[in-house]
Amino acid sequence: MISWLPASASWPLFLKLCLNTDLSGVRPSILVLSALAGMACLPAVAQPASVQPAQPVGSELPLAPEVLGNRPRSDPSVLAPAAKQLEPGLEGLSGPPSLALPTKPTQVRIQELRPLGLREVETIAEVNNPNLKAVASQVDQAKSNLRAQISAWYPNINLNTSNSFPGLNNSFRSDTNFPSRRTPFNPTSNTTTTSNLRYGGQMSIGINWDLINPQRVPQIAAARDQYEQAQNQYLIALRDLRLQVAQAYFDLQLADENVRIGQESVRASLVSLRDARARFQAGVSTKLDVLQAETQLARDQQLLTTALADQSVARRSLAAFLDLPMNVTPTAREPARVLASWLPSLQESIVAAYAFREELDQIILDISIANSNANASIGAVQPFLSIVNNFGWNRFSGETTSRAINTSNTDTLTYGFDNTIGLNLSWSLFDGGRAAAQYRQQKQVAEENRFRFASRRDSIRQEVESSFYELLKNNRDIATTTREVISARETLRLARLRFQAGVTTQREVVDTQRDLTQAEVRYARAVTDYNKRLAELRRRTGLDQVALCKPPALPGSKPAQDPATQIPIEPLPLQPACQLDSSL
């Protein structure tokens, strides 16, 4: 089953495609189909029109910037938003903390098997999935980076202070006076020690505002494009997550179906072995019939063992997407059923994929980012002009003490301020060709992205065509495998009657039983592949135009079963492989 997204009203390409029934309120969980009742819902394949001579396609095709714009903006309205909280009844399935790490076996021991539907699985994944949360964090990072680049339009104001605490300054000076020639030699010395204890401080405020900055506009433009890319990446991640969860759920449904088929095969083999042994003991059959029945039973037991292992792996694979508590394992509450039929034609699907795929917008934004980086590179050799204003203020008060022949104490007070304003011009006249080379490099990156756009455009068409053709093939596989299963079941019933009547051998019963098992496996695989291709088309085109299958009228009571074929399956003890290998 698939996440049913609301159809967008802005799809002019598909106004001609109408549905006869309003399907908006139909839940996919009610879509059930009898395994062998025939296909009530088949894809509507467009009838081939008359063949027209091919017209040359070239210059008449519009260019992507004309259709999407040179700098396309992300459009979250084309996709249903992700769930933010779990629905009632699912509150206990919140994921563990991001940095949680179990250290004991009891912390990872499975204690609950929780049956979940596809809608519930998608909701839990959107709320718990850590990869989606990481992509959402990247959107916030890109938004913060854009805001940081926009700050280049505003002035920078800086405040600096110094000497805000009391300071003590000690100085020592010694002066010696020598007498003249006419006086007796009697030198005198004068030693002075000065101590300054000052209180106060100084402050300066600087304002710098770029009036002309050639790199400012392209850098902001590149940051804005990166923000749009992050938003598109979130939409892409959300689409991919829904597809991956749906496919994981389909794989789990297939694993459950294989377990059911394996159990039915083992029961059928036990019935055949019981009949073969009874006829051998009665003397109307040979030992060869018993050995053939035992061989088929071993094959079916191996099939069941493989199916059980695949079921466990599929459950834990789905749990990894859901980030469930470590003691909970999800199970599929809904059986594998055909969901819907794809209504748009192949050509409409391709055009819709071109219109709604964010991957193409991402490449166009890469081109815009490269051009912005080129303009920023060449702006490095262009003049920068900024207005500057510096304001300074200081005030000190304290006491000055001098110890000399004459000691004096002086109280001092200093106070002052200054203010300067001016224009600063900066211009790199020669940089050795660095800016020009970086400009050419970014232009070459833009040219590379144009080639990448053409490659991605071709791959998108190839993906849509592949899913579309595979969907048609799986549709036919469902029809053929349905008839095969019905025929194989009737053949097995007749073969058992013939064997019990003694007109055939056990070999015919074994062969028909194996054919039935393989037919049921192929039918289950065809249904699962069909649903997967349908989910891929919805992911790859962005369309939601499907016709839901009609739910079958199921009886209220469980149909009666033949007690002769309902044999309990006894579990086999698991022995070490070394012992089993030595027994051959």
Side-chain angles (χ1 to χ4, degrees), residues 40 54 79 125 142 213 280 311 324 408 422 523:
L79 185 64
N213 187 346
F280 175 72
Q311 183 187 53
L324 294 176
S408 62
Y523 172 79

Side-chain angles (χ1 to χ4, degrees), residues 403-426:
R403 293 189 301 271
I405 298 175
N406 295 321
T407 301
S408 62
N409 295 329
T410 305
D411 292 332
T412 60
L413 174 63
T414 60
Y415 175 86
F417 66 91
D418 63 88
N419 184 66
T420 60
I421 187 172
L423 296 176
N424 289 343
L425 176 64
S426 175

Side-chain angles (χ1 to χ4, degrees), residues 234-540:
Y234 178 79
L235 298 179
I236 294 173
L238 181 57
R239 292 180 188 271
D240 290 340
L241 177 63
R242 288 174 175 171
L243 174 61
Q244 293 170 357
V245 170
Q247 290 182 339
Y249 193 82
F250 296 148
D251 290 336
L252 179 55
Q253 289 179 332
L254 177 61
D256 293 343
E257 193 68 15
N258 288 336
V259 170
R260 183 195 64 80
I261 295 172
Q263 291 174 346
E264 294 296 332
S265 299
V266 171
R267 289 192 180 97
S269 297
L270 289 174
V271 172
S272 299
L273 179 60
R274 181 193 61 186
D275 296 342
R277 286 176 177 174
R279 291 177 59 82
F280 175 72
Q281 293 175 357
V284 295
S285 181
T286 63
K287 182 67 174 178
L288 178 62
D289 294 336
V290 177
L291 294 177
Q292 289 177 344
E294 290 178 349
T295 302
Q296 183 60 33
L297 176 60
R299 292 187 186 129
D300 292 334
Q301 288 175 341
Q302 181 183 7
L303 174 65
L304 179 58
T305 301
T306 303
L308 289 173
D310 293 341
Q311 183 187 53
S312 299
V313 173
R315 287 176 175 177
R316 295 312 305 171
S317 298
L318 181 60
F321 285 110
L322 305 184
D323 193 28
L324 294 176
M326 295 189 177
N327 59 351
V328 177
T329 289
T331 61
R333 188 180 62 195
E334 301 166 356
R337 296 291 184 260
V338 178
L339 299 181
S341 61
W342 186 251
L343 296 181
S345 65
L346 175 60
Q347 293 74 22
E348 292 170 336
S349 302
I350 294 174
V351 175
Y354 288 153
F356 296 104
R357 290 291 289 271
E358 292 84 1
E359 291 86 342
L360 297 179
D361 293 345
Q362 296 289 78
I363 300 178
I364 295 179
L365 289 174
D366 284 334
I367 297 176
S368 178
I369 291 174
N371 291 328
S372 298
N373 292 336
N375 295 332
S377 298
I378 203 65
V381 294
Q382 295 177 357
F384 292 75
L385 181 63
S386 60
I387 184 173
V388 179
N389 184 82
N390 293 319
F391 174 80
W393 174 87
N394 64 81
R395 183 182 186 280
F396 291 100
S397 64
E399 183 180 67
T400 301
T401 303
S402 299
R403 293 189 301 271
I405 298 175
N406 295 321
T407 301
S408 62
N409 295 329
T410 305
D411 292 332
T412 60
L413 174 63
T414 60
Y415 175 86
F417 66 91
D418 63 88
N419 184 66
T420 60
I421 187 172
L423 296 176
N424 289 343
L425 176 64
S426 175
W427 193 349
S428 178
L429 299 179
F430 181 73
D431 65 346
R434 177 186 180 89
Q438 292 178 344
Y439 176 84
R440 291 193 302 270
Q441 178 190 10
Q442 293 301 323
K443 287 296 183 178
Q444 292 163 358
V445 171
E447 185 68 18
E448 174 193 353
N449 289 325
R450 293 186 179 92
F451 298 140
R452 289 178 51 242
F453 183 91
S455 176
R456 190 67 182 123
R457 177 197 61 206
D458 297 338
S459 64
I460 286 177
R461 175 170 182 171
Q462 189 272 333
E463 291 173 357
V464 174
E465 291 175 339
S466 176
S467 298
F468 190 88
Y469 294 136
E470 289 289 332
L471 183 70
L472 298 181
K473 185 202 75 170
N474 297 139
N475 191 159
R476 296 185 181 275
D477 289 343
I478 292 175
T480 55
T481 54
T482 299
R483 297 193 300 267
E484 183 182 5
V485 170
I486 295 176
S487 301
R489 284 188 173 179
E490 182 64 17
T491 302
L492 178 59
R493 187 184 69 86
L494 296 177
R496 283 177 175 169
L497 293 177
R498 286 165 54 85
F499 177 72
Q500 293 173 359
V503 296
T504 188
T505 62
Q506 181 67 27
R507 185 65 182 178
E508 182 179 353
V509 177
V510 170
D511 291 342
T512 54
Q513 179 182 336
R514 183 170 60 249
D515 293 342
L516 175 59
T517 300
Q518 295 175 354
E520 290 182 340
V521 170
R522 284 192 289 268
Y523 172 79
R525 172 61 66 180
V527 172
T528 300
D529 291 343
Y530 179 89
N531 291 335
K532 282 186 175 181
R533 301 295 85 77
L534 193 62
E536 287 179 357
L537 278 175
R538 295 170 63 84
R539 163 65 183 91
R540 292 172 175 176

